[in-house]
Amino acid sequence: MTSRRGVNAGDRGSAVIEAVIGVPAFLLFVGLIIFAGRMAIAQQAVESAAASAARSASIARSQPSAISAGQDAATSSLSEQDVHCQSHRVTLDTSGFAAPVGTPATVTAQVTCLVDLADLAVPGVPGTKQVTATMSSPIDTYRER
């Protein structure tokens, strides 16, 4: 039986069923794209914070000031990039300051951020995800240490 518009009566209900199945699948797909984008942005921000921490620490004049400068630089970098970490940790290896003048040495910074993803109500997406980056920066070989 066909109606005036040429559509079968049984075809009208199939559009509703397609929408009931298709719309949640589409929303899940969009949620996963948003999750992947936020993780990529968080990874880039943590890498930038680690590079900033390593560079700031490598130009400091002493080991204690290098640790302080590196931690401040990482924290500042994360806040400037508007990354919402539930918690973050900055670990600096400043043992290169103990190397004798004329010996190549580096400062290594590791930044770990626990990214909050609780606002994404997507099934299978964890509430938090840990992102870690490590960067190194050379200490001037002939600088007084």
Side-chain angles (χ1 to χ4, degrees):
M1 171 179 218
T2 52
S3 64
R4 291 180 156 177
R5 296 183 185 167
V7 177
N8 271 338
D11 289 343
R12 286 187 221 144
S14 67
V16 171
I17 292 173
E18 288 174 9
V20 166
I21 293 171
V23 169
F26 177 73
L27 293 176
L28 179 64
F29 181 69
V30 169
L32 290 175
I33 289 173
I34 292 170
F35 167 73
R38 285 188 50 190
M39 290 309 303
I41 289 169
Q43 182 66 42
Q44 183 276 328
V46 170
E47 287 174 1
S48 177
S52 181
R55 178 67 183 142
S56 293
S58 72
I59 60 175
R61 300 307 289 170
S62 67
Q63 199 169 16
S65 64
I67 292 170
S68 176
Q71 290 177 341
D72 291 346
T75 302
S76 175
S77 179
L78 287 173
S79 67
E80 286 172 7
Q81 296 185 56
D82 201 27
V83 175
H84 301 289
C85 299
Q86 277 189 348
S87 64
H88 72 277
R89 184 178 65 245
V90 180
T91 306
L92 291 156
D93 177 10
T94 57
S95 60
F97 279 91
V101 174
T103 305
T106 60
V107 171
T108 303
Q110 182 179 44
V111 177
T112 302
C113 172
L114 194 61
V115 181
D116 183 18
L117 300 170
D119 58 336
L120 290 178
V122 178
V125 173
T128 59
K129 181 110 170 99
Q130 182 173 311
V131 178
T132 302
T134 303
M135 296 288 177
S136 295
S137 183
I139 299 173
D140 185 7
T141 306
Y142 296 103
R143 185 183 74 197
E144 179 183 342
R145 295 183 190 159

